[in-house]
């Protein structure tokens, strides 16, 4: 039985009010334009959880890992702000590598479009920039496809990212921020999320060495480096080798509120993820000079604590000119 137009408007008004209370953008809950009442009665029977309506499968970027996609409620939303978080500065490389892996998946659908990477001078000086020659080899991204915008201040970076998120000329926009700045609050992230939704493009917020502060991103993934397994050969694992890059993924926030921890490997040949379940240990290449050249430590001797020398035992100025005046540090 089709619901009346008045009842339908009442339902959407209630959903919008719930969205405002829970901090979710109300645009997500509006009825599709041009839908007939009969169609809405059949297709708009959605489940609202945390102020979000269930979307179609095409609205998500699938990682190819069924367990992860299921835990995320279908995958990463294509038209939304997604937070990729590194808790420590040393995780910057893993966060950037995981983000580029996701961009590689995005480009399979939007080939030829460029990607804009926005950041402040502070973050680029601290974490560095991706290696151009490795972009194509590892992720299938042409160096000229990845554009960088270095802003002097965080306010400028937020403005650039917001304006870029409006455009459909980019396949995706990346905003990288260090720490927990006060300007990156719910209001700023809501604006970014709204621009990404309207343009139908993903906006990745990379956060380095910051607290897990509240943001409007529906998904937060906490990323760190995982030990690399040995390379696989026909004869078995190659001892002393380093295999594919691996990432440890923790779901910090998702639409389904399902926690989870995953170890993913990136296949640079097929440009796809693979889940690793077995326990691995870190491996490093064997030394090119054979055995470890460092000699074994000898016996440890304990020396008695010497008393302060008498005044007569101090070196003379002729013997040590450096004692005439203190040295300047550096």
């Amino acid at each position: 039985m089709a619901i009346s137009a008045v009842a339908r408007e009442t339902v959407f008004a209630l959903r919008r009010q719930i969205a405002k209370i829970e901090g979710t953008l109300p645009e997500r809950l509006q009825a599709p334009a041009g839908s007939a009442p009969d169609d809405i009665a059949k297709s708009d029977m959605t489940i609202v959880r945390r102020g979000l309506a269930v979307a179609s499968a095409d609205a998500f970027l699938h990682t190819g890992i069924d367990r992860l996609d299921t835990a995320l409620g279908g995958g990463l939303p294509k038209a939304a702000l997604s937070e990729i978080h590194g808790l420590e500065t040393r995780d910057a490389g893993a966060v950037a590598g995981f983000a580029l892996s996701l961009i590689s998946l995005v480009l399979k659908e939007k080939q030829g479009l460029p990607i804009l990477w926005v950041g402040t001078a502070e973050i680029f000086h601290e974490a560095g920039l991706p290696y151009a020659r490795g972009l194509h080899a590892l992720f299938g991204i042409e160096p000229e496809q990845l554009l960088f915008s270095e802003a002097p201040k965080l306010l400028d970076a937020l403005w650039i990212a917001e304006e870029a998120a409006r455009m459909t000329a980019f396949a995706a926009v990346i905003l990288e921020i260090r720490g927990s700045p006060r300007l990156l609050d719910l209001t700023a992230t809501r604006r970014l999320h709204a621009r990404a939704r309207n343009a139908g493009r993903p906006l990745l917020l990379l956060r380095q060495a910051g607290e897990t502060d509240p943001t409007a991103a529906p998904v937060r993934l906490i990323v760190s480096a995982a030990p690399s397994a040995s390379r696989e050969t026909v004869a078995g694992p190659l001892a002393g080798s380093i295999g594919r890059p691996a990432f440890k993924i923790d779901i910090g926030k998702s639409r389904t509120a399902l926690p989870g921890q995953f170890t993913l490997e990136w296949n640079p040949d097929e440009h796809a993820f693979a889940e690793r379940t077995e326990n691995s240990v870190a491996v490093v290449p064997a030394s090119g000079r054979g055995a470890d050249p460092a000699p074994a430590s000898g016996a440890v001797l304990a020396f008695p604590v010497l008393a302060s020398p008498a005044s007569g035992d101090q070196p003379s100025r002729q013997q040590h000119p450096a004692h005439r005046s203190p040295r300047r540090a550096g």
Side-chain angles (χ1 to χ4, degrees), residues 86-95 123 126-127 178-179 207-210:
L87 298 179
E88 300 181 8
T89 301
R90 62 180 179 180
D91 298 324
V95 171
I123 188 64
E126 180 69 31
R178 176 175 172 81
R207 299 192 56 195
Q208 309 289 5

Side-chain angles (χ1 to χ4, degrees), residues 42-235:
K42 296 177 182 179
S43 63
D44 193 50
M45 302 301 291
T46 56
I47 301 174
V48 178
R49 178 179 295 173
R50 291 180 176 267
L52 288 177
V54 175
S56 63
D58 295 337
F60 300 107
L61 175 65
H62 302 290
T63 63
I65 308 301
D66 293 337
R67 282 202 321 124
L68 178 58
D69 290 338
T70 301
L72 293 175
L76 288 175
K78 293 181 181 178
L81 175 70
S82 298
E83 184 178 347
I84 313 297
H85 199 141
L87 298 179
E88 300 181 8
T89 301
R90 62 180 179 180
D91 298 324
V95 171
F98 183 74
L100 289 172
S101 302
L102 296 177
I103 293 298
S104 179
L105 300 179
V106 172
L107 291 179
K108 291 183 179 180
E109 302 179 6
K110 302 183 182 298
Q111 298 180 0
L113 293 180
I115 305 99
L116 180 63
W117 194 317
V118 185
T120 60
E122 176 191 14
I123 188 64
F124 287 146
H125 294 169
E126 180 69 31
L129 298 172
Y131 182 48
R133 295 187 61 181
L135 290 174
H136 179 76
L138 293 177
F139 308 103
I141 303 174
E142 300 297 335
E144 58 269 17
Q145 281 186 278
L146 190 56
L147 309 177
F148 291 93
S149 176
E150 180 178 317
K153 298 180 181 179
L154 175 59
L155 185 63
D156 300 323
L158 291 172
W159 180 83
I160 295 171
E162 185 176 331
E163 291 300 313
R166 296 173 181 265
M167 306 177 184
T168 58
F170 294 111
V173 177
I174 300 174
L175 173 61
E176 188 174 14
I177 291 178
R178 176 175 172 81
S180 300
R182 186 174 55 184
L183 290 176
L184 190 69
D185 55 7
L186 279 174
T187 301
T189 54
R190 283 172 184 166
R191 294 174 63 90
L192 294 171
H193 182 53
R195 300 298 182 265
R197 281 191 45 78
N198 293 336
R201 295 288 190 270
L203 174 55
L204 302 182
L205 173 61
L206 309 189
R207 299 192 56 195
Q208 309 289 5
E211 300 294 333
T212 53
D213 299 324
T215 64
V219 176
R220 175 190 293 132
L221 299 179
I222 301 175
V223 179
S224 59
S228 178
S230 300
R231 292 184 180 179
E232 292 291 338
T233 64
V234 177

Side-chain angles (χ1 to χ4, degrees), residues 185-312:
D185 55 7
L186 279 174
T187 301
T189 54
R190 283 172 184 166
R191 294 174 63 90
L192 294 171
H193 182 53
R195 300 298 182 265
R197 281 191 45 78
N198 293 336
R201 295 288 190 270
L203 174 55
L204 302 182
L205 173 61
L206 309 189
R207 299 192 56 195
Q208 309 289 5
E211 300 294 333
T212 53
D213 299 324
T215 64
V219 176
R220 175 190 293 132
L221 299 179
I222 301 175
V223 179
S224 59
S228 178
S230 300
R231 292 184 180 179
E232 292 291 338
T233 64
V234 177
L238 182 61
S241 64
I242 297 180
R244 298 167 180 170
F247 309 97
K248 176 185 173 184
I249 311 298
D250 289 274
I251 299 179
K253 180 176 68 171
S254 69
R255 294 171 297 275
T256 59
L258 294 177
Q261 186 178 103
F262 308 84
T263 300
L264 304 185
E265 289 185 345
W266 176 251
N267 188 331
D269 300 317
E270 299 180 2
H271 299 154
F273 284 113
E275 185 177 7
R276 193 177 71 203
T277 57
E278 71 277 5
N279 295 325
S280 302
V281 295
V283 294
V284 295
S287 174
R289 292 178 289 177
D292 187 356
S297 59
V300 179
L301 302 180
F303 292 91
V305 179
L306 299 179
S308 300
S311 58

